[in-house]
Amino acid sequence: MSLNDSPAWKRLTRLAAASIHKPLPDWLNERERFERYSFHVADLLIDASKQRINSDILRALVALAEERELPARIQDLLSGAPVNYTEQRPALHTALRAPAAARPQEIRATIEDSLQRMLELAEAVRGGRRRGYTGKPLSHVVHIGIGGSHLGPELVVRALQPASNPHINIRFVANIDEVELRTALTGLNPERTLFIIASKSFTTLETRQNADSARSWFLERVASREAIAQHFVAVTSNSGAASEYGIVPDNIYPMWDWVGGRYSLWSAVGLPIALAIGRQGFQDLLSGAHAIDDHFASAPAAANVPLLIALLGIWNYNFLGVTNHAILPYSASLKILPAYLQQLEMESNGKHVNHQGDDVAVHTAPIIWGGEGSNGQHAFHQLLHQGTRSFTADFILIADPQTDRQEQHRWLLANGIAQSQAMMAGADDADPHRKVIGEHATTTIVADRLSPFTLGALLALYEHKVFCQGVIWDINSFDQFGVELGKRLAVPIFEQLGNENAVGQDASTRGLIEWIRRTRR
């Protein structure tokens, strides 16, 4: 049965037509609304009371999930069924954060071995036992990756910086623009610098170019190839290529085809995280994510929080006409959370065909964007309050910042809560230039505090939301073939920018290549 023909989909279409004309503030007149539409899980409060929902809509959304057999598909994900059906692979990132005894037996030993080796390296560097080739302690780390092998570690390291080892400075390089690498290397002593190269294939263009340049920088200064053994580490599934590169086997950590890049921070890709927050901090991160996994596996559909927030997205995107979703963390520590979630959601669910290869016939992932509060209030919030675009938003707040500056943090919280209220209620004014329409639905997520446990829970919550939406749309959330096209097209363009004619290109591309080539000469 096609999605549009399902009974639950048709019922939701009728409910949307009936609800769209009711002002959003009127929905909040319902008694005990906050208690009814807010949920607690793993030290997180998820408040959906400012969403355009009622009990009838919620029941219809849960019915849709059951029609799409989501409870069974959740078990497929967690048990290792090949949910990545285009590549015939499981997606077992949840096994990385499960207790050892709960992991699938066939991969239990390899996960445990990789985790313990990675944590031992991190503790040795943090404790000064792992040293550089001249015997000096390692004080700086340059992590080279891109996409999922970059965004996850950088997000967590930056978010948990107050709890990090002050003697380890971690810098991240992803962009192929040489300025980024040059900036990261500025002021570093090669004798005290550890390089981590994270690439599943060990051939990813951006990562390999940056790694080659970093190795050249290092060798120019130490004049010893043997020194690479103390200073270069790889996280990859291509151990042969890493060995040819000069990295010794003890410094190679695995990536597996059953873990996608954007789900890989829980693996050895998280080495920078372990270097920053240590063994216990990393294990707490895994525990927070596993707490959500456990809830996701066992909670009934009507109380399953990742599923419910996924259904709210379906309601907004497919029935109420919302086209984009803003991520608004009111925490400077979570500044790059919008970029992380852009990749998680848009790379996972930016698809146009279903399981059978047919057009989905409905919109899938919205545009994900955002920025940190309260900076955004003085930038793009003007469009949110008085512009003409439809949107929904997630506000992410930290209740207890564990800081002495409580009054300053109270102002931050007040601004975040006020913005969600303004987006919902708006403000009438006789002057049309001052009028704010409101009518924008938002969800507010409040973490008790920003700790490894709560951050792990928050990220797992979004991971499972994405999976549930993919199931409802009948798309594969675990492949990303679309990213390959631009990479393939770049190969001949790279050659033509050098010394050949731009043969075989369209008129526009040919003109750009020839103009840039003349300018470079």
Side-chain angles (χ1 to χ4, degrees):
M1 179 190 305
S2 72
L3 196 54
N4 286 317
D5 292 332
S6 81
W9 195 272
K10 290 179 177 179
R11 174 162 174 71
L12 285 163
T13 301
R14 292 192 296 271
L15 288 168
S19 66
I20 196 67
H21 301 295
K22 180 179 178 180
L24 185 54
D26 290 357
W27 295 71
L28 272 72
N29 293 330
E30 181 182 358
R31 292 188 60 181
E32 300 178 347
R33 184 172 179 85
F34 177 82
E35 290 76 12
R36 186 168 295 162
Y37 299 116
S38 62
F39 313 93
H40 296 262
V41 61
D43 295 341
L44 300 174
L45 165 72
I46 295 87
D47 169 28
S49 60
K50 291 188 179 74
Q51 291 286 339
R52 198 181 295 271
I53 54 171
N54 57 26
S55 56
D56 286 343
I57 293 167
L58 207 53
R59 278 195 296 270
L61 287 167
V62 171
L64 174 65
E66 291 171 344
E67 273 189 5
R68 307 303 281 179
E69 300 180 342
L70 249 159
R73 295 296 300 277
I74 290 170
Q75 296 309 314
D76 286 345
L77 171 74
L78 299 175
S79 67
V83 292
N84 180 352
Y85 52 80
T86 57
E87 298 175 297
Q88 285 300 299
R89 296 172 181 168
L92 276 169
H93 47 282
T94 56
L96 298 171
R97 56 229 193 184
R103 294 173 182 143
Q105 189 167 0
E106 62 272 19
I107 57 174
R108 187 179 301 168
T110 188
I111 292 175
E112 188 65 18
D113 176 69
S114 175
L115 175 64
Q116 293 310 319
R117 285 180 58 224
M118 184 265 284
L119 292 176
E120 287 165 8
L121 172 61
E123 290 300 297
V125 173
R126 287 165 57 85
R129 298 187 303 279
R130 170 67 180 261
R131 295 177 175 246
Y133 79 106
T134 60
K136 294 180 179 178
L138 297 166
S139 58
H140 286 77
V141 176
V142 177
H143 180 271
I144 301 172
I146 199 165
S149 61
H150 160 77
L151 281 165
E154 183 177 24
L155 165 65
V156 178
V157 168
R158 295 195 186 285
L160 300 177
Q161 191 168 14
S164 296
N165 187 328
H167 304 298
I168 304 291
N169 180 276
I170 303 175
R171 305 180 183 187
F172 291 88
V173 177
N175 199 321
I176 199 170
D177 188 338
E178 59 90 22
V179 171
E180 183 158 288
L181 178 64
R182 177 160 31 96
T183 301
L185 295 175
T186 297
L188 297 190
N189 179 351
E191 299 174 59
R192 305 190 64 178
T193 300
L194 178 69
F195 293 90
I196 303 171
I197 304 169
S199 171
K200 180 174 283 190
S201 67
F202 215 75
T203 60
T204 304
L205 174 66
E206 297 91 340
T207 302
R208 190 59 187 260
Q209 286 285 317
N210 281 323
D212 287 349
S213 296
R215 184 177 60 174
S216 296
W217 176 91
F218 179 78
L219 291 174
E220 286 167 4
R221 286 155 179 79
V222 305
S224 170
R225 285 193 170 272
E226 289 70 26
I228 289 177
Q230 280 77 41
H231 291 267
F232 279 76
V233 170
V235 185
T236 182
S237 63
N238 191 349
S239 57
S243 295
E244 290 176 12
Y245 189 82
I247 299 176
V248 298
D250 285 349
N251 286 349
I252 300 174
Y253 296 81
M255 296 175 74
W256 306 284
D257 63 8
W258 39 266
V259 178
R262 54 194 176 277
Y263 301 93
S264 65
L265 70 89
W266 322 101
S267 71
V269 169
L271 175 57
I273 301 171
L275 286 164
I277 62 175
R279 177 187 291 270
Q280 188 59 54
F282 193 81
Q283 290 177 332
D284 289 346
L285 182 79
L286 299 182
S287 296
H290 179 67
I292 295 293
D293 296 342
D294 194 46
H295 167 86
F296 189 51
S298 59
N304 194 308
V305 177
L307 172 56
L308 291 173
I309 63 171
L311 291 170
L312 291 176
I314 297 291
W315 174 241
N316 286 309
Y317 313 146
N318 293 121
F319 297 97
L320 301 182
V322 173
T323 58
N324 70 96
H325 183 69
I327 304 296
L328 306 173
Y330 272 67
S331 167
S333 296
L334 295 175
K335 183 175 183 176
I336 68 170
L337 180 63
Y340 173 83
L341 293 179
Q342 274 183 330
Q343 192 209 16
L344 176 64
E345 297 211 26
M346 295 168 75
E347 190 167 273
S348 295
N349 287 344
K351 313 289 169 60
H352 70 100
V353 296
N354 63 16
H355 194 118
Q356 304 299 325
D358 300 323
D359 285 341
V360 178
V362 299
H363 286 302
T364 57
I367 302 296
I368 303 292
W369 65 285
E372 64 176 314
S374 59
N375 291 5
Q377 295 175 200
H378 299 269
F380 55 82
H381 280 228
Q382 169 61 38
L383 180 145
L384 299 183
H385 290 304
Q386 289 191 307
T388 60
R389 302 291 183 178
S390 65
F391 71 90
T392 51
D394 287 351
F395 287 86
I396 295 96
L397 310 179
I398 311 300
D400 180 4
Q402 299 179 298
T403 176
D404 294 333
R405 298 184 179 275
Q406 291 290 333
E407 182 178 352
Q408 190 166 343
H409 188 73
R410 190 149 43 101
W411 274 115
L412 182 66
L413 292 171
N415 272 274
I417 296 169
Q419 287 292 310
S420 72
Q421 186 180 47
M423 289 176 189
M424 177 270 297
D428 200 9
D429 199 289
D431 182 352
H433 297 287
R434 298 179 182 275
K435 184 175 181 178
V436 176
I437 299 296
E439 296 293 331
H440 297 291
T442 64
T443 296
T444 300
I445 300 174
V446 186
D448 290 358
R449 59 191 57 82
L450 188 54
S451 67
F453 182 90
T454 55
L455 183 57
L458 179 68
L459 300 185
L461 183 75
Y462 276 104
E463 285 181 353
H464 294 322
K465 166 199 163 182
V466 167
F467 171 74
C468 290
Q469 289 179 342
V471 171
I472 290 170
W473 289 319
D474 193 23
I475 58 178
N476 183 0
S477 299
F478 300 106
D479 63 18
Q480 56 276 341
F481 296 120
V483 304
E484 299 301 322
L485 176 59
K487 294 180 180 180
R488 292 198 305 270
L489 295 176
V491 174
I493 292 172
F494 173 79
E495 297 298 331
Q496 291 164 356
L497 282 168
N499 52 26
E500 296 181 11
N501 293 325
V503 176
Q505 299 289 2
D506 62 85
S508 174
T509 303
R510 183 170 61 251
L512 285 168
I513 292 170
E514 292 174 350
W515 192 92
I516 291 172
R517 193 168 57 231
R518 288 194 301 270
T519 303
R520 284 165 60 88
R521 280 203 302 268

